Amino acid sequence: EAQVTQNPRYLITVTGKKLTVTCSQNMNHEYMSWYRQDPGLGLRQIYYSMNVEVTDKGDVPEGYKVSRKEKRNFPLILESPSPNQTSLYFCASSSRDRYGYTFGSGTRLTVV
Amino acid sequence: AQSVTQPDIHITVSEGASLELRCNYSYGATPYLFWYVQSPGQGLQLLLKYFSGDTLVQGIKGFEAEFKRSQSSFNLRKPSVHWSDAAEYFCAVGEGGTALIFGKGTTLSVSS
């Protein structure tokens, strides 16, 4: 089944403790992206990648890192999480030729 | 700057009635336009997309949308709403498959 898989689905952590949210897609998509969703603010792009080793900032990149060492994986790293990063995070991927992001099921992160 | 406006935060429609969700965008060039649906606790599912050609596009689940360049609009329609259509709907605009900008969403409730 074609899908974007995120892990974990739920995560509660403490301020300052580094964490990684994994994202993997099995559709051989070139584009991958991370979004956060907050009430009243909608979805905002954190980072995106157009291909392996090519990443760029979205609208809200502060406090986040990403890497794209393999085409299928695009992990989101929070080096020192803070409470304002409590949010619902979505990973998404898209083919370069057939546009339209496919989204993962989301990761609900709570930073206390 | 590119932006997407969904004027209606919440809409209630009777089951079996028709539906129209509004989306207005601001974009320099001819945009790529998308509608996504998010059911509670779920990720986003692509309903339909417009890149070029016929301005009336058909999507999944009986939805359609019409691109009107003169009005900078891309409204989503369905002739007869089912209770299972209750969800949050997002309009998005972008260039290619990378940076998608989302509206803040419209929550659809369906009454019996």
Side-chain angles (χ1 to χ4, degrees):
Chain A
E1 180 189 353
Q3 60 185 356
V4 177
T5 303
Q6 295 178 229
N7 281 297
R9 289 292 308 276
Y10 300 92
L11 179 60
I12 301 175
T13 190
V14 297
T15 299
K17 185 177 181 181
K18 181 179 178 179
L19 67 90
T20 299
V21 183
T22 63
C23 173
S24 180
Q25 51 94 3
N26 62 1
M27 296 166 281
N28 201 37
H29 284 170
E30 292 81 8
Y31 299 149
M32 297 188 75
S33 186
W34 277 102
Y35 285 85
R36 61 177 288 175
Q37 184 178 25
D38 301 289
L41 298 177
L43 288 103
R44 294 177 291 169
Q45 192 175 47
I46 303 171
Y47 270 93
Y48 64 91
S49 169
M50 297 178 70
N51 214 325
V52 176
E53 302 292 0
V54 180
T55 62
D56 210 344
K57 297 177 181 178
D59 296 321
V60 288
E62 295 77 19
Y64 304 95
K65 285 176 56 178
V66 293
S67 68
R68 188 95 182 269
K69 293 184 172 60
E70 304 166 285
K71 196 171 187 179
R72 64 183 294 124
N73 296 324
F74 191 46
L76 180 69
I77 303 157
L78 284 73
E79 295 268 4
S80 182
S82 62
N84 65 11
Q85 293 178 298
T86 292
S87 186
L88 179 58
Y89 291 86
F90 288 103
C91 181
S93 72
S94 172
S95 164
R96 180 180 57 208
D97 300 321
R98 290 177 58 81
Y99 302 133
Y101 273 121
T102 299
F103 281 78
S105 299
T107 295
R108 186 166 293 282
L109 172 66
T110 302
V111 184
V112 298
Chain B
Q2 299 115 7
S3 65
V4 178
T5 302
Q6 293 180 246
D8 304 305
I9 296 173
H10 191 187
I11 284 181
T12 299
V13 175
S14 299
E15 190 168 18
S18 64
L19 168 71
E20 182 169 31
L21 301 182
R22 296 183 290 165
C23 173
N24 294 99
Y25 65 89
S26 172
Y27 202 81
T30 300
Y32 296 91
L33 293 158
F34 306 83
W35 274 100
Y36 285 86
V37 61
Q38 184 181 29
S39 298
Q42 302 296 315
L44 282 83
Q45 183 181 21
L46 179 64
L47 285 175
L48 47 78
K49 57 188 176 185
Y50 171 79
F51 299 148
S52 64
D54 192 348
T55 56
L56 183 63
V57 293
Q58 303 297 320
I60 62 171
K61 305 186 179 189
F63 285 93
E64 66 178 28
E66 186 171 13
F67 170 61
K68 293 186 177 180
R69 184 190 303 275
S70 61
Q71 298 178 19
S72 297
S73 70
F74 189 57
N75 293 348
L76 182 72
R77 301 195 293 249
K78 187 169 185 178
S80 177
V81 168
H82 188 261
W83 64 266
S84 61
D85 293 323
E88 190 160 18
Y89 291 80
F90 293 93
C91 181
V93 62
E95 180 180 1
T98 55
L100 274 188
I101 299 168
F102 284 83
K104 290 191 169 60
T106 298
T107 299
L108 172 65
S109 297
V110 180
S111 62
S112 55

